[in-house]
Amino acid sequence: GDSVTQMEGPVTLSEEAFLTINCTYTATGYPSLFWYVQYPGEGLQLLLKATKADDKGSNKGFEATYRKETTSFHLEKGSVQVSDSAVYFCALWAGYSTLTFGKGTMLLVSP
Amino acid sequence: DGGITQSPKYLFRKEGQNVTLSCEQNLNHDAMYWYRQDPGQGLRLIYYSQIVNDFQKGDIAEGYSVSREKKESFPLTVTSAQKNPTAFYLCASSIMGQGNTEAFFGQGTRLTVV
């Protein structure tokens, strides 16, 4: 079945550091890929998405490129801020039933 | 504004009691979902519905029940058969049948057994 694997957290960074959160997936066909963000005590918000190979999703300084050859969708940001502290979820939608989520990666950014 | 609303935000349940979590959306989405979130376990699918009067079990449906009498509403009942119901519950909705489907989430309900 479909699955998403994310790096375990927490990821602890200082403000203005470079961020990478790894995400790899297993799916049949050609899934759409998503990154969601969850701030403390809240629901999930869509951060970015990509629907086909080599697409780059971007939003609020975050980027991720759909790499079919490595089945990956790593999240990156050049300079993190304290306000980026949250839990980040990688997810895929393979065209049937429901989204499949990774377990989430907590990011902690200190001033 | 269109969106998805969960209520209440906090809920306390006594042992052996059934409780119902509300989820309403005005996005005209066909599909709705319930997820449970526990620390370190990510999101686990409880039930989902793709059309009114129809729903399917997810990965952890035991001890839960749902109904979908209206397109806008997808309430979740946590029954006394659910042995460990303390968790954060998230409701979501999406358009069906499109390759770039994204899910929109409510703000969640935190359920605690007292």
Side-chain angles (χ1 to χ4, degrees):
Chain A
D2 302 335
S3 67
V4 175
T5 302
Q6 294 180 233
M7 60 189 292
E8 290 194 20
V11 174
T12 304
L13 296 173
S14 298
E15 205 165 26
E16 298 184 2
F18 185 85
L19 168 71
T20 300
I21 299 178
N22 291 337
C23 171
T24 57
Y25 68 89
T26 302
T28 54
Y30 302 94
S32 295
L33 301 173
F34 306 85
W35 276 102
Y36 282 84
V37 58
Q38 183 181 34
Y39 298 102
E42 298 186 6
L44 276 67
Q45 304 172 25
L46 180 67
L47 181 59
L48 54 84
K49 66 182 181 184
T51 58
K52 60 182 187 295
D54 299 325
D55 267 2
K56 177 185 284 187
S58 61
N59 186 25
K60 300 181 181 179
F62 291 89
E63 293 182 339
T65 301
Y66 189 146
R67 301 286 188 200
K68 192 171 187 305
E69 63 276 13
T70 55
T71 62
S72 65
F73 193 54
H74 304 321
L75 182 68
E76 297 182 335
K77 187 176 186 183
S79 176
V80 294
Q81 305 300 311
V82 172
S83 57
D84 293 326
S85 297
V87 180
Y88 292 82
F89 291 90
C90 185
L92 70 82
W93 189 79
Y96 47 85
S97 70
T98 67
L99 281 165
T100 299
F101 286 89
K103 292 190 173 184
T105 303
M106 180 178 287
L107 170 65
L108 300 171
V109 181
S110 57
Chain B
D1 285 340
I4 182 165
T5 302
Q6 290 185 240
S7 62
K9 189 171 177 66
Y10 299 96
L11 186 58
F12 297 90
R13 191 194 93 167
K14 294 182 180 179
E15 294 279 354
Q17 193 177 47
N18 292 357
V19 290
T20 298
L21 284 59
S22 171
C23 179
E24 303 276 335
Q25 55 98 0
N26 60 5
L27 299 166
N28 200 33
H29 285 169
D30 294 309
M32 297 187 75
Y33 314 84
W34 275 105
Y35 291 91
R36 171 178 171 144
Q37 187 176 22
D38 296 282
Q41 298 213 38
L43 278 72
R44 294 184 289 170
L45 183 66
I46 304 172
Y47 269 97
Y48 65 101
S49 169
Q50 297 176 331
I51 194 170
V52 173
N53 292 324
D54 189 40
F55 46 84
Q56 286 77 41
K57 293 182 179 180
D59 300 320
I60 56 164
E62 184 175 351
Y64 300 96
S65 66
V66 293
S67 63
R68 187 85 186 276
E69 297 177 2
K70 299 186 300 181
K71 187 176 184 179
E72 301 80 19
S73 179
F74 192 41
L76 173 73
T77 296
V78 184
T79 74
S80 57
Q82 171 51 238
K83 297 307 178 189
N84 184 23
T86 295
F88 191 52
Y89 291 86
L90 287 162
C91 181
S93 69
S94 69
I95 299 171
M96 287 302 299
Q98 296 187 13
N100 62 348
T101 293
E102 61 186 84
F104 292 80
F105 282 80
Q107 292 296 294
T109 293
R110 186 164 299 281
L111 174 62
T112 303
V113 174
V114 296

